[in-house]
């Protein structure tokens, strides 16, 4: 158990200070790592996150401060402060409006104290409770580890592994292999909608699968999940390790080493792995990533989707499960039906998945390099907060990533790779055509006049782009992003080649 903001406010000394929650921010159940008092304007430079910061209200009058209250709040949020506590007893008796506004906008928990209690007493009381909980937690982890290791030492199969965990915690347990198939279950059925924890199992630098456990009587925090994974993984790997095949899928799904574009050596390695996996004949791919709220509730719909997709001759799916995330690609042996048609079918299948799954897909890849590059965009999207029930593409997220990247050369290169791709960017005729469309707000007549070509020639070029990257010029959202990326690519090339 951790000490939350709510727990801290319930301590005796805090109650005597008459706390009033002015802004709840990200919730009162947020953990408090330490209680700290410092009234410097640049206090954020000395914090490491999770602190409850206490200051006197008079400090907000700005004596000697060079910045605004809005800047002060932003600095605390950037430092990941759990809450700001302000004593409102002498001088400043009401929370300043500018502070309230900034706290609401930045979602910083803001608490006022209406009675005076020495800050040292507040800090000592809560910090003592934090240390006490840490010691109790460590004892629980040590006891759990000992019992778990002892139980697993007698396990003779994956069913016994699941049973050992279920009996130790008194919970329902399901173990899935790296293909997403149920390998074992114990402790009775899961209840629909109940809270669960998913633990990633791994061995020999590759995913082994995942363990899902219900949380009816207790919550497994991050530290306990890590301990559980560390102890269970090597035993589970003895029975459900997917071997070299899963290792190769993982290597491909990691994407390029620089997080943007595959090098020549990476492309050669990736092609060799695709050949070994049986995809040498495939000429078209759709990379995807899924994050599950619950594996027990979500994996069946994924299995049904894969089965439907593979009913079409020459269509295959390769994927791997690691914890609550599944990564892979859909493929077809040829693009006879058209890239746009393949893209549409993949999207329909991914859209059919349940509401408890966050789905991200890349753009269609016609070669190994584009496939590997596509995983860079997927991995970036998966680092963000999952939006369960939503289906989004890396194209739609490309602009957000572009804005968030401080290095402009890196930002442009990333946007180009994730949208028009290296192949289109390296063909001046196609790049000029896209730039002309951008210059004329995608007005085809204006683009033709700028380029000095006929309308049919323009459409032939645009169709070629669609065949290369799978984005149709009638798709307004992604096409607009693509045209913007083309303009940036052209400007970047002119700057660096001029």
């Amino acid at each position: 158990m951790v000490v939350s903001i709510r727990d801290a406010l319930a301590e005796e000394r805090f109650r005597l200070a008459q706390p009033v929650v002015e802004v709840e921010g990200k919730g009162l159940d947020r953990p408090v790592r330490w209680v700290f008092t410092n009234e410097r304007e640049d206090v954020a430079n000395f914090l490491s996150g999770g602190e409850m910061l206490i200051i006197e209200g008079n400090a907000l009058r700005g004596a000697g401060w060079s910045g605004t209250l809005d800047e002060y709040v932003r600095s605390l949020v950037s430092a990941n402060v759990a809450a700001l506590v302000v004593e409102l007893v002498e001088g400043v008796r009401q929370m300043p409006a500018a502070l309230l506004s900034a706290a609401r906008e930045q979602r910083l928990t803001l608490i006022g104290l209406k009675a005076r209690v020495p800050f040292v007493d507040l800090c000592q009381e809560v910090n003592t409770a934090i240390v006490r909980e840490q010691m109790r937690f460590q004892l629980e982890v040590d006891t759990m580890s000992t019992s778990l290791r002892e139980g697993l030492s007698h396990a003779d199969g994956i069913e016994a592994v699941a049973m050992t965990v279920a009996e130790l915690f008194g919970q329902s347990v399901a173990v899935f292999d790296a293909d997403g198939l149920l390998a074992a279950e114990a402790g009775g059925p899961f209840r629909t909608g109940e809270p669960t924890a998913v633990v990633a199992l791994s061995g020999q630098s590759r995913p082994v699968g995942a363990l899902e456990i219900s949380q009816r009587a207790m919550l497994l925090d991050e530290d306990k999940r890590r301990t559980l994974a560390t102890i269970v993984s090597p035993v589970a790997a003895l029975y459900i390790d997917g071997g070299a095949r899963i290792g190769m899928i993982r290597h491909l799904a990691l994407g390029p080493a620089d997080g943007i574009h595959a090098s020549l050596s990476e492309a050669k390695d990736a092609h060799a792995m695709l050949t070994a996996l049986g995809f040498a004949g495939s000429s078209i791919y759709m990379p995807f990533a899924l994050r599950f709220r619950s594996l027990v509730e979500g994996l069946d719909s994924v299995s049904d989707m894969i089965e439907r997709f593979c009913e079409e001759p020459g269509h295959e799916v390769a994927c791997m499960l690691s914890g609550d995330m599944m990564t892979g690609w859909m493929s077809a042996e040829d693009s006879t039906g058209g890239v746009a048609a393949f893209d549409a079918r993949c999207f329909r299948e991914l859209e059919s998945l349940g509401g408890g799954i966050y789905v991200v897909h890349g753009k269609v890849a016609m070669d190994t390099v584009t496939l590997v590059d596509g995983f860079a965009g997927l991995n970036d999207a998966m680092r963000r907060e999952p939006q369960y029930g939503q289906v989004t593409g890396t194209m739609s997220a490309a602009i957000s990533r572009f804005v968030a990247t401080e290095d402009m050369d890196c930002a442009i290169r990333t946007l180009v790779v994730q949208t028009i791709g290296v192949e289109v960017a390296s063909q001046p005729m196609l790049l000029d055509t896209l730039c002309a469309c951008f210059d004329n707000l995608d007005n085809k007549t204006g683009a033709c006049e700028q380029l000095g070509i006929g309308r049919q020639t323009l459409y032939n070029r645009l169709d070629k782009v669609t065949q290369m990257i799978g984005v149709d010029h009638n798709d307004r959202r992604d096409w607009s992003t693509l045209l913007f990326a083309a303009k940036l690519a052209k400007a970047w090339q002119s700057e660096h080649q001029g």
Side-chain angles (χ1 to χ4, degrees), residues 75-127:
S75 71
L76 297 183
V77 172
S78 296
N80 200 28
V81 167
L84 174 63
V85 181
V86 182
E87 184 187 72
L88 303 172
V89 176
E90 182 179 341
V92 176
R93 294 177 176 272
Q94 299 292 328
M95 203 71 76
L99 185 66
L100 282 168
S101 176
R104 291 190 185 104
E105 181 181 347
Q106 297 297 317
R107 298 185 65 199
L108 172 67
T109 297
L110 184 61
I111 299 165
L113 301 181
K114 298 298 185 179
R116 174 159 288 168
V117 172
F119 288 177
V120 65
D121 291 348
L122 298 176
C123 294
Q124 180 178 353
E125 183 175 47
V126 181
N127 289 339

Side-chain angles (χ1 to χ4, degrees), residues 16-270:
L16 291 175
Q18 301 176 26
V20 176
V21 179
E22 304 269 5
V23 178
E24 194 165 313
K26 296 181 180 179
L28 299 182
D29 294 320
R30 186 175 179 184
V32 175
R33 190 186 63 82
W34 203 247
V35 181
F36 182 72
T37 178
N38 188 308
E39 295 176 350
R40 290 179 55 145
E41 179 184 7
D42 63 347
V43 63
N45 295 326
F46 309 100
L47 304 177
S48 56
E51 292 89 356
M52 175 182 276
L53 178 64
I54 307 178
I55 64 172
E56 186 181 358
N58 287 327
L60 298 173
R61 286 179 168 174
W65 281 21
S66 61
T68 64
L69 289 178
D70 181 70
E71 291 170 338
Y72 178 63
V73 168
R74 288 179 183 277
S75 71
L76 297 183
V77 172
S78 296
N80 200 28
V81 167
L84 174 63
V85 181
V86 182
E87 184 187 72
L88 303 172
V89 176
E90 182 179 341
V92 176
R93 294 177 176 272
Q94 299 292 328
M95 203 71 76
L99 185 66
L100 282 168
S101 176
R104 291 190 185 104
E105 181 181 347
Q106 297 297 317
R107 298 185 65 199
L108 172 67
T109 297
L110 184 61
I111 299 165
L113 301 181
K114 298 298 185 179
R116 174 159 288 168
V117 172
F119 288 177
V120 65
D121 291 348
L122 298 176
C123 294
Q124 180 178 353
E125 183 175 47
V126 181
N127 289 339
T128 298
I130 290 172
V131 172
R132 187 188 308 119
E133 285 300 320
Q134 289 174 339
M135 294 176 64
R136 186 174 70 83
F137 168 76
Q138 190 57 52
L139 180 60
E140 287 181 356
V141 171
D142 291 343
T143 302
M144 180 194 80
S145 299
T146 301
S147 300
L148 189 56
R149 292 183 193 278
E150 169 63 22
L152 291 178
S153 67
H154 304 292
D156 57 359
I158 195 63
E159 294 83 3
V161 171
M163 182 63 71
T164 298
V165 177
E167 290 179 347
L168 175 62
F169 291 96
Q171 304 284 348
S172 298
V173 171
V175 180
F176 299 86
D177 64 20
D179 290 309
L181 301 176
L182 181 65
E185 54 186 340
F190 286 76
R191 300 167 188 167
T192 301
E194 70 175 328
T196 66
V198 177
V199 177
L201 305 177
S202 61
Q204 298 184 15
S205 301
R206 61 174 172 257
V208 169
L211 180 148
E212 185 165 12
I213 180 170
S214 63
Q215 299 192 88
R216 297 173 196 133
M218 64 174 292
L219 296 177
L220 265 69
D221 58 28
E222 195 60 39
D223 287 328
K224 285 185 178 178
R225 295 184 195 191
R226 278 196 295 267
T227 300
L228 183 61
T230 300
I231 297 173
V232 174
S233 286
V235 183
L238 296 174
Y239 308 107
I240 58 171
D241 190 338
R245 182 178 62 84
I246 292 298
M248 287 188 285
I249 295 175
R250 175 185 177 275
H251 185 90
L252 290 162
L254 286 174
D258 67 356
I260 302 175
H261 180 50
S263 66
L264 181 60
S265 61
E266 287 177 325
K268 289 181 178 179
D269 289 344

Side-chain angles (χ1 to χ4, degrees), residues 394-404 415 419 480-481 484-485 488:
T394 54
M395 282 278 286
S396 62
I399 297 296
S400 298
R401 186 179 183 188
F402 174 78
V403 172
L415 182 66
T419 53
S480 296
T481 302
F484 174 61
L488 285 177

